[in-house]
Amino acid sequence: MKITFKLFATLTDYLPAERQYNAVELEVDPATTIGSLVARFNLPEKLVHLVLVNGVYVAPEERMARALVDGDTLAIWPPVAGG
């Protein structure tokens, strides 16, 4: 199945070279979870702050087991600081 995987800010460095700006189209196994993609791309868990699937927030306690389906867009942002 195909999904779109988007990383923002400093996390874009974890995407492969064939990315389009901050996104990559991935062919993944059915029932791939958010947690398995975080592990696959070696994202530091402390930097996985805001997670959306198709624009809908996914709470931290749901992320490891939340399965993706064909056509999903997974977007992840690190913590943002400013002032």
Side-chain angles (χ1 to χ4, degrees), residues 66-77:
R66 168 71 187 269
L68 299 167
V69 297
D70 190 46
D72 275 351
T73 297
L74 171 62
I76 301 176
W77 283 262

Side-chain angles (χ1 to χ4, degrees), residues 7-12 46-50 76-81:
L7 296 177
F8 293 86
T10 56
L11 291 177
T12 58
K46 68 181 181 177
L47 295 182
V48 176
H49 182 70
L50 177 63
I76 301 176
W77 283 262
V80 178

Side-chain angles (χ1 to χ4, degrees), residues 40-72:
R40 175 177 164 183
F41 286 89
N42 298 312
L43 301 178
E45 287 193 36
K46 68 181 181 177
L47 295 182
V48 176
H49 182 70
L50 177 63
V51 177
L52 303 178
V53 174
N54 302 324
V56 178
Y57 176 73
V58 180
E61 60 274 8
E62 299 172 10
R63 294 176 186 167
M64 294 309 282
R66 168 71 187 269
L68 299 167
V69 297
D70 190 46
D72 275 351

